[in-house]
Amino acid sequence: MKLSVFSVMLLFCFCLYSLLRVTLCFAWESINLPKSHIPALFTNNPNVRISCQQDETCPFRDLISQDNCWGYETPKCAPEKRMKQPDCSGDSRSWASSKEDQIEKFWKNADFGTVLERKKELKILCAPSSSEDSSLKCSSNLRYCEAKNIFIDLRSANINNPSERNRYRDNILGPGQVGGHCHLDSPNLKSQGNHKSPLQSWFAELEHYTSLDFYPSKGDKCDIIYDKPTYLIKLDAGINMYHHFCDFVNLYVSQHLNLNNSFSTDINIVMWDTSTMPYRDFFDLTWKAFTDHPIIHLKELDGKRVCFKDVVFPLLARQILGLYYNMPVMPGCEGSSLFQAFNEHIIHRLGIPQDGPLRDKIRITLLVRNTQYRNILNQDELAYELNAVGEFEVTVIDYNWRMPFEEQLKITHNSDIFIGMHGSGLTHLLFQPDWGVVFELYNCEDSNCYFDLARLRGIRYQTWEKKDKLTQEDEGHHPTLGAHAKFTNYAFDSEEFMRLIFKSADYVRNHPAFITSRREKYGAVLGTPQKAEL
């Protein structure tokens, strides 16, 4: 049938209108990000910025003109456009040749520069020839990988063997049991095994990747097919906050590598655990910041041939020189924008409120322990001294496994000063407000662990300064090493304790973010309530 010119023009207008409607009907509620992260989303997704410009219902129209970025979008992201600049005003102690070198090294190792470094390393190890083909792309030593249309055969994995207690078996996938239909660069793949270790790389899982003679994308050889983007993840200890949040920080960094800042929660996460043992996760609430779906355990897939359309092998918790376990942090620098973004991302997604600052009091949380070692022998005396002053709002709390993690986060996020003995509970410093002080009452001769983590987060670190004003119960009793500072208990001189508290409180009161937040809440003149906006 031959169409008239009018009919053709009418059809063209209808198609154009339909296209515009699709553009304008963006699901803005799906962008669940802190408002300060939206400009970077626009920078990495220009089509989303255009949609917002064209859609009067877009809630982010006041941010359209902002061109902020994370920093790894070079060359289009100038340093002054990043979320924040690190403070490298301290001495590098010869770790850097100049101030510029010091800043650059901190940026590359401890900030979003690490994303750029991993992006530079990415190489195609199995190349596709058509849209139906598979692909495999990895950073050096297979620390991070992305795969399309990958086939994984778990029929002989024997994961549900009740006697199997090794979470990190490295022999469940052999030749032909993992692979795709693509052109494999086998020599390059085999050369990537220098970091082969359970929580350092994915070499054990991918070293036998095979170029297959069938198409996993067609699904005819798959018992289970996952169409959603999927992250496979090997996890550190779920009962230890310090170690488990290495998992979460690296998962967040991996999303920056993979998803163009969309950070969709419509993804699957598969826990790559090759045992049947239960995984005790005291912080499982945090998964809600990453996925809307239940975590899939590998044992659920045992005995099956599984195909993934789009899968990520993310950065892992104990990488060599990775974030943040045993990580050497550049001396003299603090304030990683990556760690600030992680703080804001988790707090926003989990809906943790900031109720401060208070008008005329500093909020102090004293974290106590109910364990055999590292208890504060005179904690009642120290709490009494804090309450006696009148200028502090004091919370004494034990963050044990019975206390919901959400409640813990609410307290931590509203702690101007957070006090505790050396231990994984101090990892909560990641979620203190920007003006916060973490006071590691005594570091038990492990001086860098939480000092470095506080520097990464960009908050003030305080610890005990005069060892002659603390009392050690005994020499300490490590089960195999003998005398050890972490395996005993301590009492602290109350006068010296309060000196350090007042020092920390002065820091909080004079922090620009604290001053600004208090002014916004109570008015330009402290004591005068701010008028509500009509």
Side-chain angles (χ1 to χ4, degrees):
M1 181 178 68
K2 194 171 182 179
L3 296 175
S4 66
V5 173
F6 176 79
S7 299
V8 171
M9 290 184 65
L10 187 63
L11 181 61
F12 171 79
C13 291
F14 175 77
C15 292
L16 181 61
Y17 172 74
S18 298
L19 178 63
L20 287 174
R21 278 193 67 198
V22 170
T23 302
L24 293 173
C25 295
F26 193 91
W28 300 111
E29 67 278 1
S30 68
I31 300 180
N32 184 15
L33 294 173
K35 194 170 184 179
S36 60
H37 296 191
I38 299 299
L41 172 75
F42 285 159
T43 297
N44 286 275
N45 299 272
N47 60 311
V48 179
R49 188 194 300 271
I50 292 170
S51 294
C52 189
Q53 287 174 328
Q54 296 175 342
D55 186 352
E56 293 183 359
T57 68
C58 173
F60 311 116
R61 290 173 64 82
D62 58 326
L63 304 173
I64 290 173
S65 61
Q66 296 185 23
D67 56 354
N68 300 85
C69 46
W70 299 115
Y72 52 74
E73 304 92 338
T74 55
K76 63 182 179 180
C77 182
E80 62 271 16
K81 296 294 185 181
R82 297 172 187 169
M83 174 184 284
K84 65 179 288 189
Q85 301 297 319
D87 177 2
C88 290
S89 55
D91 185 4
S92 73
R93 304 207 304 264
S94 300
W95 283 35
S97 59
S98 65
K99 186 58 64 176
E100 292 74 18
D101 184 45
Q102 181 187 20
I103 295 170
E104 183 67 13
K105 285 180 176 176
F106 181 81
W107 167 253
K108 285 184 176 180
N109 296 327
D111 212 322
F112 278 116
T114 191
V115 175
L116 181 59
E117 294 305 299
R118 300 293 82 74
K119 282 179 174 286
K120 289 178 180 177
E121 293 173 359
L122 288 172
K123 293 181 179 178
I124 296 176
L125 298 177
C126 204
S129 297
S130 70
S131 59
E132 291 184 328
D133 270 354
S134 308
S135 67
L136 178 66
K137 179 169 63 173
C138 297
S139 66
S140 63
N141 297 300
L142 274 58
R143 296 202 293 174
Y144 170 88
C145 295
E146 300 171 4
K148 305 286 186 185
N149 297 319
I150 189 172
F151 171 83
I152 297 178
D153 187 349
L154 296 171
R155 287 179 294 179
S156 62
N158 199 25
I159 297 168
N160 284 315
N161 180 352
S163 64
E164 185 54 66
R165 303 183 64 81
N166 184 354
R167 296 189 187 279
Y168 309 113
R169 279 190 287 156
D170 61 4
N171 59 354
I172 68 168
L173 296 177
Q177 293 180 313
V178 56
H181 191 276
C182 46
H183 300 286
L184 180 64
D185 184 352
S186 184
N188 197 353
L189 174 63
K190 296 296 183 183
S191 71
Q192 301 298 315
N194 291 335
H195 292 192
K196 183 179 180 180
S197 185
L199 291 174
Q200 292 181 0
S201 83
W202 291 95
F203 186 78
E205 291 73 27
L206 294 173
E207 64 176 311
H208 296 299
Y209 189 99
T210 304
S211 182
L212 303 174
D213 60 2
F214 62 90
Y215 292 88
S217 60
K218 294 185 177 179
D220 54 334
K221 294 186 181 294
C222 312
D223 300 310
I224 301 173
I225 299 172
Y226 287 103
D227 292 316
K228 292 183 189 299
T230 301
Y231 282 71
L232 308 182
I233 188 166
K234 295 184 284 189
L235 296 175
D236 209 329
I239 61 174
N240 183 296
M241 188 175 181
Y242 182 85
H243 292 298
H244 200 13
F245 270 80
C246 282
D247 297 320
F248 292 125
V249 167
N250 281 286
L251 179 57
Y252 178 67
V253 175
S254 298
Q255 288 193 313
H256 278 272
L257 276 164
N258 180 251
L259 290 179
N260 283 336
N261 299 157
S262 69
F263 302 101
S264 171
T265 49
D266 189 18
I267 63 171
N268 293 315
I269 295 177
V270 176
M271 186 189 300
W272 193 273
D273 182 343
T274 58
S275 77
T276 56
M277 293 188 300
Y279 182 80
R280 297 180 68 195
D281 191 342
F282 291 171
F283 313 99
D284 56 356
L285 172 75
T286 315
W287 293 114
K288 292 183 178 180
F290 295 97
T291 180
D292 296 328
H293 308 293
I295 303 300
I296 300 166
H297 294 257
L298 192 63
K299 60 188 176 184
E300 299 173 34
L301 310 179
D302 191 28
K304 306 294 184 182
R305 298 170 299 174
V306 188
C307 292
F308 298 93
K309 297 288 187 182
D310 185 352
V311 70
V312 174
F313 299 82
L315 297 166
L316 297 169
R318 300 203 183 196
Q319 305 164 73
I320 296 173
L321 303 180
L323 296 169
Y324 48 81
Y325 177 79
N326 279 343
M327 174 186 178
V329 181
M330 171 61 68
C333 290
E334 62 183 49
S336 165
S337 61
L338 188 159
F339 278 80
Q340 178 167 332
F342 177 75
N343 165 295
E344 294 169 352
H345 187 79
I346 300 298
I347 290 297
H348 174 83
R349 288 255 169 119
L350 299 184
I352 306 299
Q354 175 52 254
D355 299 325
L358 301 183
R359 183 190 294 272
D360 53 10
K361 288 190 176 184
I362 299 296
R363 301 165 296 174
I364 296 180
T365 297
L366 175 60
L367 183 65
V368 300
R369 297 166 63 92
N370 187 23
T371 55
Q372 186 175 359
Y373 301 119
R374 278 176 273 155
N375 292 295
I376 305 169
L377 296 173
N378 62 329
Q379 66 188 32
D380 291 342
E381 178 189 5
L382 301 186
Y384 174 83
E385 294 293 340
L386 288 171
N387 281 300
V389 174
E391 60 185 85
F392 304 132
E393 181 179 273
V394 181
T395 300
V396 180
I397 196 74
D398 177 8
Y399 283 171
N400 57 50
W401 63 271
R402 298 179 187 85
M403 184 178 190
F405 186 52
E406 183 176 10
E407 295 304 312
Q408 297 180 31
L409 284 180
K410 286 178 181 178
I411 294 171
T412 301
H413 191 52
N414 287 280
S415 297
D416 304 318
I417 302 174
F418 189 82
I419 310 169
M421 288 291 291
H422 178 87
S424 64
L426 289 181
T427 310
H428 272 273
L429 69 86
L430 291 172
F431 302 107
Q432 282 185 259
D434 291 345
W435 56 78
V437 175
V438 60
F439 184 179
E440 184 174 23
L441 199 49
Y442 184 50
N443 59 37
C444 301
E445 300 177 12
D446 187 352
S447 58
N448 289 329
C449 182
Y450 294 103
F451 170 60
D452 285 346
L453 194 60
R455 288 201 291 134
L456 291 169
R457 171 62 186 93
I459 64 171
R460 175 59 62 93
Y461 173 86
Q462 178 65 58
T463 192
W464 199 256
E465 295 177 353
K466 298 179 180 180
K467 198 168 181 179
D468 62 329
K469 290 186 178 294
L470 66 80
T471 302
Q472 186 169 324
E473 186 177 45
D474 54 34
E475 65 179 2
H477 306 282
H478 189 279
T480 59
L481 301 178
H484 200 294
K486 292 184 181 180
F487 290 81
T488 187
N489 302 303
Y490 296 87
F492 299 87
D493 179 85
S494 61
E495 185 175 338
E496 174 64 8
F497 172 74
M498 291 306 296
R499 182 185 73 83
L500 297 174
I501 289 294
F502 286 124
K503 177 182 175 181
S504 299
D506 285 344
Y507 172 84
V508 170
R509 290 192 186 97
N510 289 286
H511 194 286
F514 180 85
I515 294 170
T516 299
S517 295
R518 192 161 62 164
R519 181 182 295 121
E520 289 175 350
K521 187 171 184 180
Y522 300 108
V525 179
L526 194 58
T528 303
Q530 188 176 10
K531 293 181 179 179
E533 293 183 6
L534 299 178

